Structure formats: C-alpha cells, structure tokens
Amino acid sequence: MKNRFIPLVAVAAGLAIVGCSSDDRSSITTDLQTAASDVVDAAGDVANNAAEALARNIATQQGEEQFKNAGHELDGPLTCDAKVQDGVSQIDIACTGTTKAGGAASLTGTTAEIPGASVVSLDGNFTGTVDGTEVFTTQQLGG
C-alpha cells in the first residue's frame, strides 16, 4: 500500500517545485536528495543487522559444538556479538561462555562470508580458548 503512494508524492513534489523560485527549488531538491539518501542508509542498516544476527546465531550454535568436540563442553550457551565491518566486507565475531569445568570460554573470529548461503555453517578464521589457552582453531563453524 505504501508503495502506491510513492509515485503520487513524487508527482506532487514535482508540481510543487514548478511554481517555486530557484532558491526554493534548490532547497526542495536538496531535501529530496537527503530523504533518498536516508532511505538508502536505512536499507543498508537493515541488511547489516540481518547479517549480524545470522552470524551471531550460527556462531552461538556451532561454537558450542566446537568446544564440545575439543573436550571443553559448555555449561550453557555462548553469548555472541557480531559486527559488520568495512561495508560488509567482513563480520567480526566475539563469543563468551563458561565450560562445565568452570573455565572461561572465548570464541573469536572473522568471516568474509555473508550469512545466508548456509544457515548452519560459517567460513572464516575462528579460535576458541579456555582460560586464555587455545583449544581449537578452524576455518569453518558448522557444516
């Protein structure tokens, strides 16, 4: 429904500009360009947020499995953060948790893969530590 109103707003803006002075037309043009830029930025934010959420979820689930396979089963889920960097050229991942033995578990890594191609794995470089000691490195979480 909203999409049907966009052409009407554009036509109305065009008609409003015709009867304006050159200063007013310039101001309106600038305002329209700013609004269009804001829409593009918001769409980019939505895409980044979705990529971060997918990466975070994959890292949480698959990271827990990696710790278990390394002999350091976790006592509860990992808590993960993911941050899109450099215009979606990479996603940095940082997770923390606690092992059943009480150790501080940490998973860090970076992926250049935008999540979505696979909802169960993530390619990149990842390292798991317990109490600061490396317990695994992998180029893929899950799979």
Side-chain angles (χ1 to χ4, degrees):
M1 181 126 176
K2 290 179 185 177
N3 290 338
R4 291 189 292 195
F5 292 113
I6 292 173
L8 294 175
V9 170
V11 169
L15 291 175
I17 290 173
V18 170
C20 295
S21 69
S22 68
D23 287 343
D24 288 342
R25 282 193 299 269
S26 177
S27 176
I28 290 169
T29 300
T30 299
D31 291 345
L32 289 173
Q33 289 171 338
T34 300
S37 178
D38 289 347
V39 168
V40 169
D41 290 345
D45 289 344
V46 168
N48 287 350
N49 291 341
E52 289 171 353
L54 285 169
R56 188 173 48 248
N57 289 340
I58 293 169
T60 297
Q61 293 172 358
Q62 300 304 329
E64 291 171 13
E65 189 68 24
Q66 288 288 335
F67 277 103
K68 183 178 179 181
N69 292 342
H72 298 276
E73 192 168 353
L74 298 177
D75 185 25
L78 284 172
T79 301
C80 295
D81 289 318
K83 181 70 177 153
V84 170
Q85 301 293 333
D86 301 327
V88 194
S89 66
Q90 74 180 36
I91 300 174
D92 295 333
I93 296 170
C95 306
T96 58
T98 304
T99 66
K100 287 192 175 188
S106 175
L107 169 66
T108 57
T110 301
T111 180
E113 176 184 14
I114 302 304
S118 171
V119 294
V120 295
S121 68
L122 206 60
D123 291 334
N125 293 304
F126 305 97
T127 301
T129 62
V130 174
D131 291 331
T133 302
E134 185 177 297
V135 295
F136 70 84
T137 61
T138 185
Q139 273 69 58
Q140 185 179 55
L141 292 175

